Every structure is written in structure tokens, then in C-alpha cells.
Amino acid sequence: MEKLIIEKSNGARAVVFNGAKDPASFLDKKYLRKREPRLPQLSELDIVRHFTNLSRLNFCLDTHFYPLGSCTMKYNPKAYDAMCSLESFTSLHPLTPVENAQGTLEIIYKFEELLKEITGLSAWTLQPAAGAHGEFTGALIAKAYHAKDKNRTEIIVPDTAHGTNPATAAMCGFKVVNIKSNARGRVDLEELKKVLSPKTAMVMLTLPNTAGLFEYDILEISKLVHASGALLYMDGANLNALIGLVKPAAMGVDIMHINLHKTFAAPHGGGGPGAGGVGVREELKDLLPLGRVLFDGKKYLLEIKNKKSIGQVKSFYGNIAIIIRAYAYLRQFDGKTLGEIAKNAVLNANYIRVKLKNYFPAFFDEVCMHECVFTTPKDLPNLKALYVAKRLLDLGFHAPTIYFPLIVPQALMVEPTETESKQTLDAFTRAMKQIFEEAKKDISILEHAPHKTEIGVIDEVLAAREPNLKW
Amino acid sequence: MYNQEKCKFSKTHEWAFIEGDTAVCGISDHAQHEISDIVFVELPKIGAKVQAGKACAVIESVKSAADFYAPLSGEVTQVNENLNSNPALINQAPHGEGWIFKIKISNAKEEEKLLSFDAYKATL
Amino acid sequence: MFNGNSKETASEMLREIGLKSVEELFKDVPSTLRTAKFNLPKALDEQDLIKHIKSLASKNKTLLNFAGAGIYEHFIPAAVNALSSRGEFLTAYTPYQAQASQGTLQAIYEYQSSICALFDMEVSNASHYDGATALAEAVYAACQIKGLNEVLISVGLNPQYKQVLKTYFKGTREIKFTEVSLDNGTLDLEDLKTKLQTPRSAFVLATPNFFGCLEEVLEISAIVHNANALLISLVNPISLGILETPGSYDSDFAVAEGQCLGNTMSFGGPGLGIFTCKKQYVRYMPGRLCGITKDDKGNRCFVLTLQAREQHIRRERAASNICSNEALCALNALIYLSLLGPKGLKEVASLNLEKAHNLAKQICEIEGFSLTYQKPFFNEFVINCPIPAKQIVKKLAKKDILAGYDLGQVDTSLKNNLLICATETKTEQDLANFVSCLREI
């Protein structure tokens, strides 16, 4: 446990700016702040210690196996951190004339070209700041595409979708139509047929879906969707399972987003910034957000006007620091090796699935893609996913995603990624087996887990009933 | 206070305590137990018109947000302001201090569709 | 690249799970989809990759920068990046498992607290994508609170922010925006009063506004609240080192672009969307929040809280689909604010004020150049030039100077007007260099 930095404040100074004059010599006093903000006052050494100590309270990818399902916690190559920190990239003001920003613009342009090749879609934007922001962009594009058909007010979302999908649809003014998946965790074609109508603007699918399964009926689904005049949206958060093997456009995808930080190995930074690319097929190209990077054969330019565009979705051109890393990552593969990412990711997930078969069953007992959703064993009804997650922390592993997808009771969603070794996966499965044995013997050790972390069982009810959100 | 034997219930676990043309509404003991520790209640506005079977309030636990469906149609005349500072009242006394709002009933016929306590118990 | 296993180990794993080939794992994928060819350039090893990226970087040219317009160049102390780039912060994810994330959680709590202290506001969330998207979310919250989709904005709101508001709400949640005009660079208060005679949910006050001018915040706040509308303030966080705070003039929401707090410009991204509000509106606030609680041993600890507002629980009923935050940028801001403290922040803000005023004075001494608006300003101001601003930007770029923002892009009647910014990063020599280049035009 670390004191709050404000509690350590002792009046010392860290960073000083010499030569500042009294602001009252330039501005009337009425504009000036009356009391100084309650910020820490400490020496630089004490600040360095504070944040270094805080950092040590975290589990992270550099220290722990981090099988958080749906988040693709793969290794973040160290070379890229240095690359995106090059001063020529970081010191560039966004209003710099394009002539002086050719390097950054070329990266955006070339990365979009590469994304076109690996997805088969015709055009990309890298403006959105995150995956969910990409979804928002995609849904706005669907709205603009259907502008002349005011009846297309619905977006169909399967029950396996990320929570962001229905929230996105609602933000864009669509009505959300939820459909149930079939017994094998896939879109039920009959259910889909029932709800597809001239009111459908778009169907949003996560591919592979959040149960970690491939929609084997995808070609039939896209046919049905297109026959009804709607668009097919692919939530590409799980692209790691298909990259270099399947082109989304070939599945009939009209619009998709990719979470660059997931598939393309950018660090997640404790929750962001991420970056979300959005790709579309030819017909939708002009609707992409304003500010695309263009190439006139000699130099890179920025699109300034486009009446058909949905407009800007944020200030300027995208999260450049993440885009540079993602571009660098993609350049380390060629057409043959790119597919190795997905193959190894899928192999690792299935390896865990099979190894845990007699302990924690996969909810859908069949080959999975890059992640596998487990549930607690039927003969241990008192064992909750939460206990497993917390006990794993004791045993030196970050927990999987729990209680998601919602269709799986006591869900434990494990995504190992391709960058983990057999030894790590074996250690993880051993830990899971230990938890299984503990649950059989004496569940109380699990109920009160974690025991070895600095903080024990947390009172979340108190946090919500009496919110304490600042010092 | 609003003795459960004297309340009428919806299948979605809301109760109504009816007196003349007004009804006090809340959630059943079973429902508060299922939701577990309630941390927040999003109350309807006074004067709002609620419709039987339609969501008109939200009851939050740490990890869930459950819709409250109005058991009867009517106009909200009073809300339980105490829930703003102490939402746990619903957990402590779902048929007492944990009532949620009062309405002036607009369609008395809807009362027939509600269940008696015994009939409600049988659905659980 | 980066596989955890050798080919041999991978084959062994396949055998162990009873498969002959990895292809068997992809049997659900229709065979017609498995014929894709990927035409990519030659793969680069790390050494060649670094050369390649460096050669691209060398195609950028950093100019002596006098542009602001939403993104600002400030000095970033070395400790900021040294601390935030630690793997424990950089390679962790969203702190859903509180016991494994106390470092990130405490940092978020301290960020929220520092922002509240700086802004004098009651609640801050863990951050949004950038200033423009934070503003859009605040506007939506205000409309939900008031149950009315009518919002007033100022002509002096950053045009990119206007554009983002339009993208977010036109044809979607259908919020109607009406602009209040300016009078000599600041808000026309009579026009504000008139337009508030029609019911509105909120007024978006930008101060300094896009033209750098400081608004009469107390008067505006009174007018807005008298009309029963909410006040959403958009401010420059560095300016709050010396300027009166959004809380002091009773803002209901206050938002900002927080890039200026310890984050690089990086061609405009990532940004840091600062989002604050009064406590009574916390339920309308989208995005993550971190709070203090206790564990079973009674120890103080940190946890994400009030999560039932968010998309992963409320799905289509959530206020926003936002899922991530700009955690690393928020951490940079926190470290920056901690290193500077109240005194350093006052110093840096005072230096911005001084440099900008010195520069304005020197430019006005050149014949044909004058301040367009005679209003108080912080670190940015508008100069009326003898020739179109566009030409000045072009000419000075040839001398490796980014002269500012050509306001002709916003309004053709302002085509001779240049929006100029000077921060603490500019030396007397830099100012003199800029002024002499302008003199030569």
C-alpha cells in the first residue's frame, strides 16, 4: 500500500521555471485564480519513488501471463516504443504544413494500404481513437449510406456481441434488435431471418464471436444480410484469430473496425490510448471521416473537403503514437508469415482448452479460435468464476475475463495469444487444476481469495454507495 | 408497512400496494435478494406518466442495472427521496422503507392482471 | 515473429492435443475463404525496421512553432516519460482486477483528484479520447439532464470541436446547436441573453475562446443559470495555473484537451479528454471512474466504481459506448502536475502569458500588423496582417517557422487574420526571429 501523493506533500519543489513574472502585470486581477490548486509539493526524488512504487503494485504483460479474453494481451515489442518516441514524430504540431509532415503522413497512408491488402476492403481511416470509437464511426457510415431510406432504423446485434455494439447503435440513433445465438454459440440463421427486414440498416457481428467461435455460416449470413438491403459490420476486435488467413471482405463484410492496439501489438497503457481503424468497401469510401491522407503520386496530402463524409469523429488525424507502432509491427511480417500469428494464437488457445478438459470444461465443447470460454464444473456448484479469477492472482497469473460473454454462466474467457510459450501455458493449466482440487476439498480458501496480493477482498458496494472519487 | 400479503405483484417482481386510486410501488423481497446489494436507484420524475409493463426506473447493484417495470399505469405523485442517500433501504425493507414511488392509477382494470402474493410466490 | 514457441514445440503441442495439422483448428472456416493471398512487402528484421522508421521520421521537419489552436507545445520534464513508460504501467490493461491493478487505479484516483483541484470541480472521470469528444459527451449529458435537445455554442468555439459536435449529433441523437455571436472577439452578451429566451439545455463557454480571448465568465455564468440552462466550460488546463477556475464561476460541466499537461503533440494524437462535473451530475457522466474503498482487512484500496452506468452493463441504455480511457496520457498529466505542483504550474502559466504578450507587442510594432481584438488573452492572440494569413504561413514555413493558424479557413472575412501562440518554450531569440521574418514580408 502506498500513501496518496498528496499525503506525502511536504512543500518541496521538483520542476522549476525560472524568470516568471507576476501575471497581474498583464491581466486584470478579476481574471486570476484566487487560491492555488491543492496539488502535491514534493521533491523530484520523492515523486519518482512514488510512481515507481505505484507501478510495482500492477500485474502487467511484462511481468505476468495476462490471458484477458477479448483483449489480445500479446507481447509489445520494445523497439516500437523507441520508434514512436522519435522527436520528429512527437514534436510535430498537427497544423504543420503537409510538406513538413511527410514522414507521419506516409506512415498513415502506407499502413492503410497494408490494411487494404490484409482485409480486402477498399479504404481505411485511422482517425478513431479506440475500438468503440471505430464502431461509432462505422455505424455513422451506415447511417449516411442509408440516408435516403429513412425506414432503416434498426441494427441487429447477436447476444454474443461486445456491450459496445448495442451502445454504439443507440448512440447513433438506431433501435437495437437483439438476437439469440444457437446451441453452438453461433448466430441462429432462423432467428436472423425473422428479424431481418426493410427496417434493418446493419447487422453487427464480432468475428470470431465473443464465445471464441467462428461463425461457420458466415457466407450464408452475409448473403441474407445483403439480400435484405442491409450492411454487414464486422467488429474486428478478434482479428488476431484470422489475420493473414482470411480476408474479411471475402466474407462479405462491408464495414469493419480493428483495434490496432490488440492485433498489432501496441501496449494497452493501463486502459488506453488505443486506436481504431475503420475499413469499408468501395461504395462507402467517400463516407469515411474527413481528414483522410491522400497521395498525389509525389507527396502525401490531407483531405480538407468532402461533402459526403460523415465529418470528423475527433480532433485531427488519429492516435499517431499507436499507429506508428502498429505499422512497425505489420512490417515485420510478409504475406507468408502473417498467418503464423493467427495459427499460433489459435493453437495456444486450443492447447489450454484440451489440457483443462477434465477440470474446467469449455462451455462450447468444440474447437475454438484465439480464445476459449470456460465455465465452472457442474459438480462444483459453489465454485464461482470470480473465485477462480481471484485465486489465479495468488498463483501468479492475471485473471481471464470473467462473466463475459453473458450467454455463458460463470464464464472464464481465456485468450493466451501467440506470444506465450508452452511452459507458460502449462504453468497456467497447472494452476487451474490446483484451483479445481482446492474447490473440491475446501472452497473457503477460494471464497476469500486473493490471499497473497497486497489487497484482499474488496468492498465494491461501499465504493458505489459512498463514492469517494477525489482527495 | 406495505404488507406483502396485501400487495399485488407483477411477474417481473414489482409490487403495488393499492389504496383507492393510488398505488405505492416497490420490488419484491425475492427481487432485492436476487439483485443483492443495491447501490443506486434511478427514480422517475414526479409527474411522469408510467405505463404498465414499461421500464420507468433502474435499480443498480455493483455489477448490474435492472429495469423496474411499472406494475400499473398512472402518474407519479411521490418518489422515495430517501433512496437517493440510502438505496440499501430496498434490501433492508423492500415492503417498507424501501418503497420506490407512488402513482395515481389511471387504469384500474390493469389491477386484475396482477398476481396475489400466493400466486406470485408460486411463480418463483 | 514474437511467437512463444519454436516450430518443434508447436508440433509437439498439436500432437498432445491429438491433432495432425494446425489446419484442423480452422475447419469451421469455409474452404473458399482459405485461399486468400497476401501481397505484402518483404518482412523487416528489427535492425532494418529501425532504419526504415528512422528514414520516415527524417521526412518530417519540426518547425519553430507558433501554432496552437487546440494542441500546444510545452516543455515536458524528463521524469514524466521515464516513469510512465515503465512496463508495469505501459503493458497493463484496464484495471478490472483491482487486486492486480492497484498501481493504475491509485494513479487514476490521483489523476481525478489533481484535475478536480486544478479545475475546482467536484468530480473528474478517468478521461476521454480528447477535448472535442469530451465536449460532445458533456453536451449529451446536459441534454439528458434537461430533457431537451437544444444547445447554445459560441461562434468562438474551436471549429474542429464544432465539427465533432455535428458528427456526433446530427441525424443521430438530433441535438440542435445555435451559435451566439461575438463582439470584438468575445461573446456578445446581449445575443446570449436573447438566444436564452428560448429554452436551452446548456451553453458551451470556451475561455480562452478559439481566438485566444478571455470571456467575462462570471457574467456569462449568471446569465446562463438565470435562464435555467447548464454551463459547460471548455478551458485550457495550463491557463488554470493562473486563471480563474471553472468551479469558481459555477460551471456544471468543465471539459478540456489535456494534451498540454505532459503529453507530446504527436501530430494531434493521442489527446487527453478531461471531463469534470458537479457531483449531482455524476450519474450522467460517461466513462470510467475510480474510487476509494476498503478490503476485508480494512485496508484502503482503489477500485473502478459506479460501473453500472457503463456500456458493458447497460448496453444500449448506456450514455456512451466509451470503453477505454486515455490512461497513459492521464498518467502523464498526473506526473506532470505532481512535478510542477501549484507553484510550477503558476510559473509556467505566467511565462506563457508573458511570452505571448511580448510577442504580440513586438508584432504590433511592425507596420501593417495589429491585434485584431482588444481583449485580454492568455497564450494565444489574433493578428490582423497586411496580406492573407495563408501566404504568411506559407512564406514562414520556408524559413522553418510555423507562423500560426490561418483564420481564413474558418471565415473568409478573417482571411488576413493569423492566430498565434507563444508558450514557455519560446526564447527571446525565437520571438525576435519570428518578428524579423514577419517584418520582411
Side-chain angles (χ1 to χ4, degrees), chain A residues 98-142:
Chain A
V98 291
E99 293 78 8
N100 301 112
Q102 289 293 297
T104 297
L105 294 175
E106 186 173 337
I107 288 177
I108 296 175
Y109 186 87
K110 284 201 164 149
F111 188 46
E112 289 178 2
E113 289 297 302
L114 294 173
L115 288 177
K116 281 158 68 172
E117 176 58 25
I118 67 174
T119 61
L121 291 165
S122 304
W124 280 80
T125 175
L126 302 177
Q127 194 178 101
H133 206 213
E135 283 177 32
F136 176 62
T137 306
L140 288 175
I141 290 171

Side-chain angles (χ1 to χ4, degrees), chain C residues 73-338:
Chain C
E73 182 184 358
H74 290 287
F75 171 72
I76 301 174
V80 172
N81 190 48
L83 292 168
S84 72
S85 65
R86 289 180 61 88
E88 294 90 335
F89 286 128
L90 194 63
T91 72
Y93 202 21
T94 305
Y96 290 130
Q97 291 295 333
Q99 292 92 343
S101 320
Q102 284 296 300
T104 293
L105 284 165
Q106 184 170 338
I108 293 174
Y109 180 86
E110 292 181 353
Y111 163 83
Q112 290 171 184
S113 304
S114 299
I115 294 298
C116 285
L118 186 61
F119 282 60
D120 257 338
M121 295 293 288
E122 291 171 335
V123 188
S124 160
N125 71 8
S127 72
H128 278 257
Y129 306 137
D130 68 0
T133 57
L135 176 62
E137 302 269 24
V139 161
Y140 181 67
C143 290
Q144 288 299 103
I145 291 164
K146 292 288 179 185
L148 174 70
N149 283 353
E150 292 276 350
V151 172
L152 286 183
I153 58 175
S154 158
V155 166
L157 177 65
N158 184 324
Q160 290 215 50
Y161 286 50
K162 287 187 198 173
Q163 169 62 247
V164 170
L165 290 179
K166 195 172 146 196
T167 307
Y168 264 67
F169 300 117
K170 199 179 163 214
T172 57
R173 284 165 163 176
E174 296 293 3
I175 294 173
K176 198 178 151 224
F177 294 95
T178 308
E179 294 198 6
V180 180
S181 51
L182 296 184
D183 176 15
N184 187 22
T186 56
L187 212 62
D188 180 341
L189 299 187
E190 289 311 309
D191 193 41
L192 177 65
K193 282 179 202 159
T194 311
K195 292 200 164 119
L196 279 168
Q197 282 166 9
T198 316
R200 316 277 181 180
S201 291
F203 171 64
V204 177
L205 164 70
T207 185
N209 65 26
F210 187 64
F211 303 108
C213 303
L214 304 185
E215 296 286 1
E216 298 301 325
V217 289
L218 284 173
E219 266 180 271
I220 292 167
S221 174
I223 293 169
V224 171
H225 286 130
N226 280 341
N228 195 27
L230 296 171
L231 181 66
I232 302 172
S233 299
L234 171 68
V235 297
N236 173 337
I238 290 281
S239 77
L240 299 181
I242 52 172
L243 293 187
E244 199 47 297
T245 60
S248 73
Y249 45 89
D250 201 24
S251 303
D252 297 288
F253 291 84
V255 296
E257 172 55 64
Q259 166 273 329
C260 54
L261 302 172
N263 288 285
T264 60
M265 296 188 285
S266 282
F267 207 51
L272 172 64
I274 294 176
F275 190 115
T276 68
C277 68
K278 286 183 180 167
K279 207 172 175 182
Q280 67 199 93
Y281 301 128
V282 65
R283 289 275 159 188
Y284 294 90
M285 178 183 244
R288 289 180 187 147
L289 277 166
C290 172
I292 281 190
T293 186
K294 288 198 173 93
D295 75 355
D296 51 358
K297 293 164 228 149
N299 295 317
R300 176 170 74 185
C301 58
F302 302 86
V303 69
L304 289 181
T305 192
L306 307 185
Q307 288 192 69
R309 298 165 300 122
E310 294 186 70
Q311 50 76 28
H312 60 282
I313 292 173
R314 286 224 176 179
R315 295 171 81 86
E316 62 264 32
R317 295 170 301 162
S320 168
N321 72 348
I322 195 164
C323 185
S324 59
N325 65 328
E326 305 296 83
L328 199 67
C329 303
L331 177 64
N332 285 335
L334 167 65
I335 300 170
Y336 178 85
L337 288 171
S338 304

